Amino acid sequence: KEEFKVITDCIRKLNEQVQSAITDKYGNWWVGTFKSGLLMYERKTGIIHRFKQEVYNSNSLSFNYINKVYEDASGLIWSCTGGEGLDLINPLAANFKVLQHYLFNKNSLCNNDIWSIYTNDNYLLAGTTSGLAWYDKKKQYFSRYDFVDENIDIADVAVYHCIERDSDGNIWVGADSEGLLKLNPLTGKMDRLEIKNQSALGLDSYSAFCIAFRGNEIWIGTSNEGLIRYNKATKTAKLY
Protein backbone atom coordinates (compact mmCIF):
# COMPACT_ATOMS: atom_id res chain seq x y z
CA LYS A 1 0.00 0.00 0.00
CA GLU A 2 1.02 3.60 -0.60
CA GLU A 3 0.63 4.48 3.08
CA PHE A 4 3.07 1.74 4.07
CA LYS A 5 5.63 3.06 1.59
CA VAL A 6 5.26 6.61 2.97
CA ILE A 7 5.78 5.40 6.54
CA THR A 8 8.78 3.19 5.75
CA ASP A 9 10.41 5.98 3.70
CA CYS A 10 10.07 8.33 6.67
CA ILE A 11 11.58 5.74 9.03
CA ARG A 12 14.53 5.22 6.67
CA LYS A 13 15.16 8.97 6.44
CA LEU A 14 15.25 9.15 10.24
CA ASN A 15 17.61 6.15 10.29
CA GLU A 16 15.24 4.60 12.79
CA GLN A 17 13.95 1.26 13.99
CA VAL A 18 10.35 0.49 14.86
CA GLN A 19 9.61 -0.55 18.43
CA SER A 20 5.81 -0.76 18.14
CA ALA A 21 3.11 0.06 15.58
CA ILE A 22 -0.70 0.09 15.56
CA THR A 23 -3.58 1.40 13.45
CA ASP A 24 -6.28 3.31 15.35
CA LYS A 25 -10.03 3.19 14.83
CA TYR A 26 -9.78 5.88 12.14
CA GLY A 27 -7.20 3.91 10.17
CA ASN A 28 -4.29 6.15 11.17
CA TRP A 29 -0.90 4.56 11.82
CA TRP A 30 0.96 5.20 15.11
CA VAL A 31 4.62 4.15 15.11
CA GLY A 32 6.85 4.17 18.19
CA THR A 33 10.55 4.51 17.38
CA PHE A 34 13.83 3.81 19.14
CA LYS A 35 14.95 7.43 19.51
CA SER A 36 12.84 9.70 17.28
CA GLY A 37 9.59 9.75 19.23
CA LEU A 38 6.15 8.89 17.91
CA LEU A 39 5.05 9.06 14.27
CA MET A 40 1.42 9.33 13.21
CA TYR A 41 0.41 8.74 9.60
CA GLU A 42 -2.90 10.52 9.01
CA ARG A 43 -4.75 8.35 6.54
CA LYS A 44 -7.17 11.06 5.40
CA THR A 45 -4.45 13.52 4.33
CA GLY A 46 -1.45 11.24 3.79
CA ILE A 47 0.59 13.46 6.13
CA ILE A 48 3.01 12.13 8.75
CA HIS A 49 3.00 13.98 12.07
CA ARG A 50 5.95 13.56 14.39
CA PHE A 51 5.58 13.90 18.16
CA LYS A 52 8.79 14.25 20.13
CA GLN A 53 10.13 15.41 23.45
CA GLU A 54 10.43 19.18 23.85
CA VAL A 55 12.23 19.92 27.08
CA TYR A 56 10.49 23.23 27.83
CA ASN A 57 7.06 22.22 26.53
CA SER A 58 4.85 20.36 28.99
CA ASN A 59 2.39 19.58 26.16
CA SER A 60 4.80 17.30 24.34
CA LEU A 61 6.04 13.72 24.41
CA SER A 62 7.90 12.98 27.65
CA PHE A 63 10.61 10.85 26.00
CA ASN A 64 11.65 9.89 22.47
CA TYR A 65 12.31 6.21 23.22
CA ILE A 66 9.00 4.35 22.76
CA ASN A 67 8.62 0.72 23.83
CA LYS A 68 4.94 0.27 22.99
CA VAL A 69 1.98 2.13 21.50
CA TYR A 70 -1.57 1.25 22.57
CA GLU A 71 -5.09 2.50 21.76
CA ASP A 72 -7.78 2.18 24.42
CA ALA A 73 -11.51 1.66 23.84
CA SER A 74 -12.21 5.40 23.84
CA GLY A 75 -9.67 6.08 21.10
CA LEU A 76 -6.99 7.62 23.31
CA ILE A 77 -3.39 6.70 22.49
CA TRP A 78 -0.93 5.54 25.16
CA SER A 79 2.81 5.74 24.64
CA CYS A 80 4.96 3.54 26.88
CA THR A 81 8.36 5.19 27.12
CA GLY A 82 11.71 3.70 28.01
CA GLY A 83 12.48 5.99 30.91
CA GLU A 84 9.87 8.75 31.42
CA GLY A 85 6.66 6.90 32.19
CA LEU A 86 3.36 6.84 30.30
CA ASP A 87 2.12 9.46 27.84
CA LEU A 88 -1.63 9.73 27.26
CA ILE A 89 -2.43 11.40 23.95
CA ASN A 90 -5.78 12.74 22.80
CA PRO A 91 -5.48 12.61 18.99
CA LEU A 92 -8.39 14.99 18.45
CA ALA A 93 -7.01 17.72 20.71
CA ALA A 94 -3.29 16.89 20.27
CA ASN A 95 -2.64 17.26 23.98
CA PHE A 96 -0.56 15.14 26.35
CA LYS A 97 -0.89 13.89 29.91
CA VAL A 98 2.06 12.19 31.59
CA LEU A 99 1.95 9.56 34.34
CA GLN A 100 5.33 9.08 36.03
CA HIS A 101 7.19 7.70 39.01
CA TYR A 102 8.06 10.22 41.74
CA LEU A 103 10.62 9.18 44.32
CA PHE A 104 8.73 10.23 47.45
CA ASN A 105 5.21 9.46 46.23
CA LYS A 106 4.20 5.86 46.93
CA ASN A 107 1.00 6.33 44.92
CA SER A 108 2.86 7.16 41.72
CA LEU A 109 4.01 4.82 38.95
CA CYS A 110 6.49 2.25 40.33
CA ASN A 111 9.00 2.75 37.49
CA ASN A 112 9.30 4.98 34.42
CA ASP A 113 10.55 2.23 32.08
CA ILE A 114 7.29 0.87 30.63
CA TRP A 115 7.08 -2.19 28.38
CA SER A 116 3.41 -3.14 28.29
CA ILE A 117 -0.06 -1.78 29.00
CA TYR A 118 -3.70 -2.82 29.31
CA THR A 119 -6.61 -0.60 30.28
CA ASN A 120 -10.39 -0.69 30.68
CA ASP A 121 -13.00 1.68 32.15
CA ASN A 122 -11.93 1.08 35.75
CA TYR A 123 -8.21 0.49 35.86
CA LEU A 124 -4.92 0.48 33.99
CA LEU A 125 -2.08 -2.04 34.14
CA ALA A 126 1.45 -1.11 33.11
CA GLY A 127 4.34 -3.59 32.94
CA THR A 128 7.59 -2.02 34.12
CA THR A 129 11.12 -3.13 34.90
CA SER A 130 10.34 -3.13 38.62
CA GLY A 131 6.83 -4.39 39.09
CA LEU A 132 3.40 -4.38 37.53
CA ALA A 133 1.68 -1.03 38.11
CA TRP A 134 -2.09 -0.99 38.78
CA TYR A 135 -3.82 2.38 38.38
CA ASP A 136 -7.25 3.15 39.84
CA LYS A 137 -8.81 5.54 37.32
CA LYS A 138 -11.47 6.82 39.71
CA LYS A 139 -9.20 7.49 42.70
CA GLN A 140 -6.20 8.29 40.46
CA TYR A 141 -3.46 6.46 42.31
CA PHE A 142 -1.05 3.60 41.56
CA SER A 143 -0.39 0.36 43.42
CA ARG A 144 2.42 -2.07 42.70
CA TYR A 145 1.96 -5.77 42.03
CA ASP A 146 4.76 -8.34 41.97
CA PHE A 147 4.92 -12.01 41.11
CA VAL A 148 6.28 -13.82 44.17
CA ASP A 149 7.81 -17.25 43.72
CA GLU A 150 6.42 -19.22 46.67
CA ASN A 151 9.50 -21.49 46.71
CA ILE A 152 11.89 -18.63 47.43
CA ASP A 153 9.39 -16.03 48.71
CA ILE A 154 10.81 -13.12 46.71
CA ALA A 155 9.67 -11.02 43.77
CA ASP A 156 12.06 -11.90 40.98
CA VAL A 157 10.53 -10.70 37.67
CA ALA A 158 12.79 -8.23 35.87
CA VAL A 159 10.39 -7.14 33.11
CA TYR A 160 6.67 -7.55 32.38
CA HIS A 161 6.69 -7.71 28.58
CA CYS A 162 3.01 -7.98 27.64
CA ILE A 163 -0.51 -7.84 29.09
CA GLU A 164 -3.57 -9.29 27.33
CA ARG A 165 -7.20 -10.14 28.15
CA ASP A 166 -8.72 -13.36 26.81
CA SER A 167 -12.34 -13.93 25.70
CA ASP A 168 -13.26 -15.22 29.17
CA GLY A 169 -12.11 -11.99 30.80
CA ASN A 170 -8.90 -13.41 32.27
CA ILE A 171 -5.85 -11.13 32.38
CA TRP A 172 -2.54 -12.69 31.31
CA VAL A 173 0.90 -11.19 31.84
CA GLY A 174 4.06 -12.19 29.98
CA ALA A 175 7.03 -12.06 32.32
CA ASP A 176 10.78 -12.28 32.04
CA SER A 177 12.02 -15.79 33.00
CA GLU A 178 8.74 -16.71 34.75
CA GLY A 179 6.77 -17.22 31.53
CA LEU A 180 3.03 -16.58 31.34
CA LEU A 181 1.20 -15.51 34.49
CA LYS A 182 -2.54 -15.33 35.19
CA LEU A 183 -3.40 -12.18 37.12
CA ASN A 184 -6.20 -11.39 39.53
CA PRO A 185 -6.36 -7.61 38.91
CA LEU A 186 -8.19 -6.89 42.17
CA THR A 187 -5.76 -8.65 44.50
CA GLY A 188 -2.59 -8.51 42.42
CA LYS A 189 -1.95 -12.23 42.84
CA MET A 190 -0.26 -13.87 39.85
CA ASP A 191 -0.13 -17.61 39.19
CA ARG A 192 2.29 -19.23 36.78
CA LEU A 193 0.71 -21.06 33.83
CA GLU A 194 0.83 -24.80 34.44
CA ILE A 195 2.38 -26.70 31.53
CA LYS A 196 2.27 -30.39 32.42
CA ASN A 197 4.90 -31.40 29.87
CA GLN A 198 7.15 -28.37 30.41
CA SER A 199 10.15 -30.43 31.52
CA ALA A 200 9.75 -32.79 28.57
CA LEU A 201 9.88 -29.78 26.25
CA GLY A 202 13.11 -28.62 27.88
CA LEU A 203 11.48 -25.43 29.14
CA ASP A 204 13.00 -25.02 32.60
CA SER A 205 12.14 -21.34 32.27
CA TYR A 206 11.08 -19.02 29.48
CA SER A 207 10.32 -15.35 28.89
CA ALA A 208 6.90 -14.57 27.39
CA PHE A 209 7.19 -11.62 24.99
CA CYS A 210 3.80 -11.75 23.27
CA ILE A 211 0.60 -13.78 23.56
CA ALA A 212 -2.46 -14.49 21.40
CA PHE A 213 -5.64 -16.49 21.96
CA ARG A 214 -7.42 -18.79 19.53
CA GLY A 215 -10.30 -20.94 20.73
CA ASN A 216 -9.02 -23.18 23.49
CA GLU A 217 -5.39 -22.35 22.79
CA ILE A 218 -2.85 -19.79 23.94
CA TRP A 219 0.06 -18.97 21.64
CA ILE A 220 3.12 -17.65 23.45
CA GLY A 221 6.02 -15.95 21.69
CA THR A 222 9.22 -16.32 23.72
CA SER A 223 12.58 -14.55 23.71
CA ASN A 224 14.71 -17.44 22.44
CA GLU A 225 12.85 -20.70 23.13
CA GLY A 226 10.56 -20.51 20.09
CA LEU A 227 6.76 -20.44 19.83
CA ILE A 228 4.63 -22.25 22.42
CA ARG A 229 1.18 -23.58 21.50
CA TYR A 230 -0.72 -24.27 24.73
CA ASN A 231 -3.93 -26.29 25.06
CA LYS A 232 -6.02 -25.06 28.00
CA ALA A 233 -8.04 -28.28 28.22
CA THR A 234 -5.09 -30.68 28.48
CA LYS A 235 -2.66 -28.15 30.02
CA THR A 236 -0.01 -29.37 27.63
CA ALA A 237 2.02 -27.55 25.01
CA LYS A 238 3.86 -27.96 21.73
CA LEU A 239 7.03 -26.09 20.94
CA TYR A 240 7.87 -24.76 17.48
Side-chain angles (χ1 to χ4, degrees):
K1 289 184 177 181
E2 180 62 27
E3 59 193 53
F4 186 74
K5 183 179 183 301
V6 172
I7 296 166
T8 52
D9 284 348
C10 178
I11 292 166
R12 288 194 189 101
K13 287 177 182 177
L14 291 170
N15 192 27
E16 262 296 357
Q17 67 184 48
V18 175
Q19 299 287 94
S20 176
I22 62 168
T23 53
D24 66 21
K25 64 180 182 180
Y26 301 106
N28 304 315
W29 281 81
W30 294 83
V31 182
T33 70
F34 181 70
K35 61 181 186 300
S36 298
L38 186 63
L39 307 177
M40 191 273 268
Y41 174 83
E42 191 175 2
R43 186 178 184 184
K44 186 177 180 180
T45 64
I47 295 173
I48 289 185
H49 303 273
R50 182 182 172 193
F51 302 99
K52 59 182 181 178
Q53 182 184 27
E54 299 174 23
V55 178
Y56 299 108
N57 182 4
S58 59
N59 191 38
S60 70
L61 203 65
S62 66
F63 203 45
N64 288 331
Y65 184 113
I66 312 297
N67 285 324
K68 186 175 178 63
V69 187
Y70 177 90
E71 182 188 24
D72 66 22
S74 64
L76 298 175
I77 303 297
W78 294 84
S79 172
C80 304
T81 75
E84 291 294 338
L86 279 167
D87 288 321
L88 174 59
I89 306 159
N90 183 337
L92 300 179
N95 59 19
F96 294 77
K97 179 181 179 180
V98 183
L99 301 176
Q100 292 178 314
H101 168 71
Y102 298 103
L103 186 59
F104 299 108
N105 184 352
K106 66 179 182 178
N107 293 325
S108 68
L109 192 61
C110 56
N111 190 287
N112 283 329
D113 190 5
I114 315 295
W115 286 85
S116 56
I117 183 174
Y118 167 80
T119 182
N120 60 26
D121 291 338
N122 301 312
Y123 63 85
L124 175 148
L125 290 164
T128 82
T129 51
S130 60
L132 188 65
W134 182 86
Y135 182 69
D136 186 311
K137 289 187 173 181
K138 184 178 180 180
K139 297 180 180 178
Q140 297 189 355
Y141 72 86
F142 278 98
S143 298
R144 174 177 169 173
Y145 293 161
D146 285 296
F147 171 74
V148 178
D149 190 323
E150 295 179 354
N151 295 319
I152 54 178
D153 197 30
I154 61 171
D156 61 348
V157 173
V159 184
Y160 292 92
H161 294 288
C162 57
I163 309 167
E164 299 289 348
R165 178 183 181 273
D166 68 19
S167 59
D168 296 321
N170 300 308
I171 302 297
W172 298 89
V173 182
D176 197 53
S177 299
E178 296 297 340
L180 190 59
L181 309 172
K182 187 177 181 181
L183 169 72
N184 182 328
L186 300 180
T187 65
K189 188 176 187 302
M190 288 179 260
D191 295 308
R192 191 186 288 113
L193 178 71
E194 180 189 3
I195 304 177
K196 290 185 176 180
N197 62 332
Q198 184 167 339
S199 295
L201 294 173
L203 285 172
D204 293 331
S205 67
Y206 66 96
S207 297
F209 269 55
C210 57
I211 48 180
F213 309 99
R214 183 180 179 184
N216 202 39
E217 294 179 333
I218 304 175
W219 292 76
I220 308 165
T222 71
S223 57
N224 53 22
E225 291 84 8
L227 181 64
I228 299 171
R229 183 181 183 181
Y230 179 79
N231 187 299
K232 290 191 285 186
T234 64
K235 296 184 179 181
T236 60
K238 292 183 179 180
L239 186 61
Y240 300 95

